[in-house]
Amino acid sequence: MILKRILFLFTSVTLLTGCSSGRAPEIRAICLRDDIGNYIIKWETDPHTDGMMKLYVSDTPNSFDMSQPCSYADINDGRVTYITNDNITHKYFLLSFNDKYFRTVGARSVQMDSIQNLRDIGGYFSEHGNRMTGWGKIFRSGELKSLSRNDTIRLDNLKIKTVIDLRGEDEVALAPEKYTGANIISIPIPVKGKDQIARRLEEGRIRKGDGLVYMQDTYISYVTDDSEQFGKALKVFLDKDNYPILVNCSMGKDRAGFLTAMLLTALDVPQETIMKDYMASNNHIDLRHLAYMARNLNTDAQETITVLLGANETWLDLAFHKIKKEYGSTDKYLSKGLHLTEKERDTLKDIILN
């Protein structure tokens, strides 16, 4: 039951034809990585489908050598593992069912040494389930202030052409992006009140709940104060020559999270899927390096730091509620707040959706 729900929320559905039962079956598939870096591909068919699944592997999601499957499985097995010791190249997989029906999947998270929360936002289906965001086109992450040699190679392998840096000018000055293999487009969205809350943390004047209120105010300000900048960022996606695109901010969860949510909204991706993508930051941010910094702070301060460094469903919900209150609907916010026309939304769909 849990597997079914994960598969539905994170991959949605592809319709296939020619089923012996007389109706088109649904195929749900997901690709995960285990603790040692192997890829685990799982699938389900509804209704039941018999036959052979052939698995093909590639470094890019748009080109597979169909003469050489890397693995075979009975469709009823529902699972296959691709074993590899390659932690430099991000892999994509093509699943072929009875040589008739095909699905491309990839692991959403990209393993990195020094970049937080790097994820591919491919594989999300639009509201009607007939088109999905293409794999390998759009990524989101934390800042690129320090890169290991392998991280640079990994970004090169992803063929990133454009980085949209949403950090404020002060953040950029303190920690410039180190990646030189892409065009860096800075669209500053400053973190408001961060110096004040940092000072209160250091002085032990923070109170329980202050972090939650601070983050709620932050997400409301995205709608009330920062719509122009987020709208500028969306325009970058209108040029197909900019792809693949990486969106980042400090941790890749708040500003990058809101922009990703607005982009997926423009693509008619269901809000439940958008929320799952947003909340996935909690699984891909490593807080261990921050434990040393917080060791001498009081309990309320440590709790506040934990709140500030996480993603919370209520914050994005609050932003959506503010959008509906101020603009009436998300569609009107896209057009009037972010200045994205209906024609431009169609362009985004043509470029991003497969």
Side-chain angles (χ1 to χ4, degrees):
M1 189 69 183
I2 293 175
L3 172 59
K4 281 190 176 183
R5 189 168 180 187
I6 291 174
L7 290 170
F8 180 77
L9 291 175
F10 280 88
T11 66
S12 197
V13 174
T14 290
L15 296 179
L16 307 178
T17 60
C19 175
S20 60
S21 67
R23 73 176 178 88
E26 297 175 351
I27 285 191
R28 303 183 183 99
I30 188 171
C31 178
L32 306 169
R33 300 198 75 174
D34 63 19
D35 292 339
I36 57 176
N38 297 322
Y39 294 83
I40 301 170
I41 299 97
K42 301 178 183 179
W43 63 88
E44 289 182 343
T45 62
D46 181 24
H48 175 83
T49 304
D50 294 315
M52 177 70 68
M53 193 286 298
K54 295 178 183 178
L55 186 70
Y56 301 87
V57 62
S58 175
D59 295 346
T60 66
N62 302 313
S63 178
F64 292 88
D65 181 0
M66 302 299 289
S67 67
Q68 191 65 44
C70 65
S71 184
Y72 300 83
D74 190 303
I75 292 176
N76 294 316
D77 290 345
R79 173 186 176 128
V80 69
T81 299
Y82 177 78
I83 298 174
T84 178
N85 58 6
D86 180 1
N87 283 318
I88 300 298
T89 306
H90 192 66
K91 302 296 184 184
Y92 295 92
F93 300 90
L94 179 67
L95 286 70
S96 170
F97 297 86
N98 294 328
D99 294 324
K100 293 182 179 179
Y101 318 125
F102 304 90
R103 273 294 304 278
T104 301
V105 296
R108 197 161 301 289
S109 177
V110 182
Q111 292 188 346
M112 304 296 283
D113 298 328
S114 52
I115 301 174
Q116 295 273 15
N117 202 14
L118 179 54
R119 291 184 275 136
D120 191 327
I121 66 165
Y124 291 139
F125 278 74
S126 60
E127 192 73 50
H128 303 295
N130 57 344
R131 302 180 74 187
M132 75 172 188
T133 54
W135 290 100
K137 291 183 177 180
I138 303 169
F139 299 85
R140 52 178 294 180
S141 78
E143 60 193 0
L144 314 179
K145 66 178 182 180
S146 61
L147 298 176
S148 68
R149 181 175 179 275
N150 283 343
D151 281 349
T152 299
I153 296 172
R154 290 177 178 121
L155 290 175
D156 288 342
N157 288 339
L158 294 175
K159 306 186 186 306
I160 302 295
K161 288 180 66 176
T162 306
V163 175
I164 303 175
D165 186 358
L166 299 176
R167 298 176 302 156
E169 293 176 355
D170 58 334
E171 296 171 89
V172 174
L174 190 63
E177 304 274 47
K178 295 297 185 182
Y179 186 55
T180 59
N183 178 32
I184 308 294
I185 299 177
S186 178
I187 302 179
I189 300 174
V191 179
K192 302 172 183 66
K194 67 174 183 178
D195 292 338
Q196 179 183 7
I197 199 165
R199 190 160 50 248
R200 290 174 61 194
L201 282 168
E202 292 174 359
E203 296 172 355
R205 294 189 294 110
I206 207 77
R207 296 172 299 176
K208 189 173 183 178
D210 284 353
L212 184 61
V213 172
Y214 174 79
M215 292 305 299
Q216 290 172 341
D217 290 343
T218 295
Y219 276 72
I220 289 174
S221 74
Y222 291 160
V223 180
T224 58
D225 301 340
D226 301 318
S227 292
E228 181 179 347
Q229 293 297 82
F230 282 115
K232 283 183 183 178
L234 282 179
K235 302 292 185 182
V236 178
F237 294 94
L238 294 170
D239 187 347
K240 62 182 180 181
D241 291 334
N242 288 334
Y243 289 78
I245 297 172
L246 170 63
V247 179
N248 75 344
C249 58
S250 58
M251 301 292 287
K253 69 180 185 72
D254 297 317
R255 289 164 288 186
F258 183 79
L259 178 60
T260 301
M262 293 304 103
L263 177 62
L264 294 176
T265 298
L267 298 172
D268 296 328
V269 173
Q271 192 163 336
E272 183 180 17
T273 302
I274 293 171
M275 187 61 74
K276 291 294 179 181
D277 176 79
Y278 167 74
M279 290 297 292
S281 286
N282 288 332
N283 300 324
H284 300 291
I285 295 177
D286 185 358
L287 301 180
R288 289 175 297 178
H289 70 292
L290 298 169
Y292 179 82
M293 298 168 53
R295 72 194 190 285
N296 294 324
L297 299 178
N298 62 36
T299 302
D300 285 347
Q302 292 180 358
E303 181 180 298
T304 299
I305 289 175
T306 301
V307 169
L308 296 177
L309 297 179
N312 188 312
E313 186 171 341
T314 61
W315 303 339
L316 190 57
D317 262 341
L318 192 63
F320 274 112
H321 284 305
K322 188 65 175 177
I323 285 170
K324 289 176 182 177
K325 180 180 179 181
E326 297 295 324
Y327 293 88
S329 70
T330 52
D331 285 340
K332 289 183 178 178
Y333 176 62
L334 288 170
S335 63
K336 298 187 179 300
L338 301 178
H339 306 294
L340 191 70
T341 67
E342 197 64 37
K343 183 178 180 180
E344 287 173 331
R345 285 185 69 172
D346 289 340
T347 298
L348 289 178
K349 293 172 186 177
D350 288 341
I351 293 174
I352 299 170
L353 297 179
N354 291 335

